[in-house]
Amino acid sequence: MIDRYTRPAFRALWSDENRFRCWLEVEATASEVLADAGIVPHDAARAIRDRGTFTVDRIREIEKETRHDVIAFTTAVAENVGPESRWLHFGLTSTDVVDTAQALQIREASDRITDGLNGLSAVLRRRAIEFAHTPTIGRTHGVHAEPTTFGLKLLLWFEECQRNIRRFAAAAEDMRVGKLSGAVGSFGTVTPALEEEICRRLGLQVAPVSTQTLQRDRHAAYVSTLAVIASSLDKIATEIRHLQRTEVREAEEFFNPKQKGSSAMPHKRNPITAENICGLARVMRANAQVALEDVALWHERDISHSSAERVILPDQTTLADYLLAKTTDLIDRLLVYPQRMLRNLELTGGLVFSGQLLLELAEAGMLREDAYRLVQLLAMRAWTEDLVFRDLVRTDPQITAVLPPERIDRAFDVQRRLGNVPAIFERVLGEPLPGIASV
């Protein structure tokens, strides 16, 4: 991933230096376990642990000749270990090291992404409670529908974030596996018991069965889960982009006083962070397709997945970390305009209460079909003639014949429509909503 979208921790995590460090950790741990089993001399295992080192430049230099990165790595390490290096990589095949070490990197990446998910969750929860009683207009098909609250929008995102936390925990755990089962997975040298001990010391589980590789359905599920998370962030950012439109302007990104929105138009305040999130989410969804293509390999192993994973695994995790941080900051500093929300709620002169008026008329004795036709007739007149729907209702003889003024006012009471909001919050949060005065 390019530096623009890479935070420092992930730059270090996916560096060549760290990748080879993880390889060396697998090699050293395997040597120690084999030494304890009497297969490798203890002096050799200690030498590999104590003197095993490398430089990335030396590995690259050797790889130019060998055209094999693991052999280049073991050769570079062996130069520093000395005569005991004959026990380095003993009984292992390349992918034993590469796949197991990759699990170490992904475990670290997953821990950081989990932190990001939890951070976003906390911010969404806090701001959902902050705006729990802030009325706004709900929109379906982009058209005003019925009242809701801005806090409910945020609560919806919070609850989706909880699902993503659970999904990701399962996908990350499925990736916390190593394998040292040999060239075709049949344990030609290292036994299953030794594999289990090596992985235990590395903090990994073992794949119950493998070929030369860990099976890539694990990776596909992991990368796809990150794509789902990105799509949730895309959803949040898309909503904020809509709310920031000049005609709406109910919420907008924080805008630094020194920030510039356009080289040509000094007035511009553009939703650049939200657009950034939406754009990179597309990359993450595309990476999921690549991961799915990697599942089918030839026989017990080919390397068609390898080149693809060198791109998509660092990129997918790095982008997930970046987008979670961006979205958390976006929500944390989001500028919210409750008065504009109320103004937009009233923009149609009460049309958004047509459903409640319909119910009031039916409850008062009017046939539902007749009530629907009557309310729709007045609503369409308000639309086409740019009239105030509430005023038309209050002066319509068919309505006033069955509904007294206080019943009509009740039909247009926004707080009545929002009376169950606290119950929704309690259902999601598992505790009563703190008392906050309505805006």
Side-chain angles (χ1 to χ4, degrees):
M1 180 47 57
I2 64 175
D3 281 347
R4 186 180 185 91
Y5 307 126
T6 305
R7 301 208 300 165
F10 273 73
R11 184 178 297 110
L13 193 161
W14 290 112
S15 67
D16 286 342
E17 177 77 24
N18 190 54
R19 176 163 59 97
F20 294 136
R21 284 289 165 203
C22 290
W23 288 10
L24 185 56
E25 181 59 31
V26 173
E27 294 279 9
T29 302
S31 295
E32 290 166 347
V33 171
L34 293 177
D36 290 345
I39 298 171
V40 168
H42 281 286
D43 287 348
R46 280 193 296 270
I48 292 168
R49 173 66 74 181
D50 295 341
R51 299 199 298 271
T53 188
F54 60 86
T55 67
V56 174
D57 287 344
R58 179 56 179 152
I59 293 172
R60 288 173 176 165
E61 182 182 4
I62 297 170
E63 189 179 359
K64 288 179 182 178
E65 295 181 357
T66 63
R67 298 189 64 193
H68 194 293
D69 55 355
V70 176
I71 292 176
F73 163 77
T74 56
T75 301
V77 171
E79 291 174 346
N80 297 294
V81 171
E84 294 90 345
S85 65
R86 68 193 181 96
W87 298 102
L88 176 68
H89 200 66
F90 189 83
L92 306 182
T93 191
S94 297
T95 310
D96 287 338
V97 176
V98 172
D99 272 6
T100 304
Q102 186 184 77
L104 300 179
Q105 288 179 281
I106 289 176
R107 182 180 63 191
E108 181 182 350
S110 298
D111 288 345
R112 294 184 181 278
I113 291 168
T114 298
D115 289 343
L117 283 165
N118 289 332
L120 174 61
S121 175
V123 170
L124 287 169
R125 187 184 191 278
R126 172 173 58 81
R127 301 224 72 182
I129 293 172
E130 179 183 355
F131 296 107
H133 298 295
T134 301
T136 191
I137 185 61
R139 298 170 174 90
T140 58
H141 308 278
V143 179
H144 285 203
E146 290 191 353
T148 183
T149 75
F150 191 66
L152 272 183
K153 286 181 183 283
L154 291 155
L155 185 70
L156 183 84
W157 300 338
F158 166 80
E159 206 270 329
E160 186 166 335
C161 189
Q162 304 316 295
R163 294 197 298 276
N164 280 327
I165 288 171
R166 294 192 294 270
R167 290 185 191 111
F168 184 68
E173 180 62 18
D174 220 22
M175 286 292 289
R176 194 176 63 86
V177 294
K179 59 82 60 186
L180 296 102
S181 55
V184 294
S186 57
F187 292 99
T189 304
V190 175
T191 67
L194 291 173
E195 178 194 54
E196 290 174 11
E197 178 59 18
I198 294 167
C199 286
R200 186 192 68 78
R201 294 190 191 186
L202 292 169
L204 303 174
Q205 302 293 327
V206 295
V209 60
S210 65
T211 59
Q212 190 177 124
T213 67
L214 290 170
Q215 298 309 286
R216 261 43 196 180
D217 63 291
R218 297 175 184 270
H219 302 66
Y222 183 81
V223 173
S224 296
T225 299
L226 289 175
V228 172
I229 291 170
S231 294
S232 294
L233 305 184
D234 185 2
K235 169 184 179 175
I236 293 170
T238 297
E239 179 71 12
I240 291 171
R241 289 169 64 191
H242 282 305
L243 296 179
Q244 188 165 335
R245 286 181 298 134
T246 306
E247 296 82 359
V248 179
R249 203 163 177 269
E250 294 176 357
E252 67 174 339
E253 295 181 8
F254 175 80
F255 194 86
N256 190 295
K258 294 184 178 181
Q259 189 174 333
K260 302 293 185 289
S262 166
S263 63
M265 296 169 284
H267 73 279
K268 295 283 279 178
R269 292 161 68 102
N270 301 328
I272 57 172
T273 298
E275 290 172 346
N276 177 237
I277 293 165
C278 292
L280 292 175
R282 298 167 189 168
V283 176
M284 293 185 67
R285 286 191 289 269
N287 286 342
Q289 178 63 41
V290 178
L292 292 168
E293 296 289 343
D294 280 347
V295 174
L297 303 178
W298 284 21
H299 303 300
E300 277 62 54
R301 195 244 169 131
D302 69 54
I303 62 167
S304 60
H305 66 289
S306 177
S307 55
E309 286 180 0
R310 288 173 193 261
V311 176
I312 65 169
L313 290 180
D315 281 10
Q316 195 78 339
T317 54
T318 297
L319 283 177
D321 172 70
Y322 175 83
L323 291 185
L324 283 166
K326 280 288 186 180
T327 307
T328 301
D329 183 67
L330 175 64
I331 298 298
D332 186 42
R333 299 198 293 170
L334 188 69
L335 303 176
V336 180
Y337 304 119
Q339 293 306 315
R340 182 65 178 236
M341 291 178 182
L342 284 175
R343 183 170 142 193
N344 287 344
L345 190 87
E346 286 295 321
L347 194 62
T348 60
L351 275 174
V352 297
F353 297 98
S354 69
Q356 185 59 49
L357 178 62
L358 170 64
L359 296 179
E360 293 285 348
L361 290 169
E363 191 176 310
M366 189 178 291
L367 289 176
R368 191 182 192 282
E369 293 77 8
D370 294 338
Y372 192 102
R373 280 193 294 270
L374 175 57
V375 173
Q376 186 182 43
L377 180 67
L378 295 176
M380 293 305 103
R381 186 181 169 199
W383 274 117
T384 57
E385 299 179 27
D386 197 21
L387 299 174
V388 177
F389 177 68
R390 188 184 288 105
D391 292 344
L392 292 178
V393 170
R394 284 172 174 159
T395 57
D396 184 86
Q398 295 183 75
I399 292 178
T400 57
V402 295
L403 292 180
E406 61 272 16
R407 290 285 298 274
I408 294 175
D409 290 342
R410 186 167 178 260
F412 288 92
D413 182 1
V414 65
Q415 293 305 326
R416 182 182 173 209
R417 300 301 293 167
L418 302 176
N420 286 313
V421 167
I424 302 171
F425 270 81
E426 185 169 356
R427 185 163 65 181
V428 172
L429 302 180
E431 60 186 19
L433 182 65
I436 303 173
S438 299
V439 176

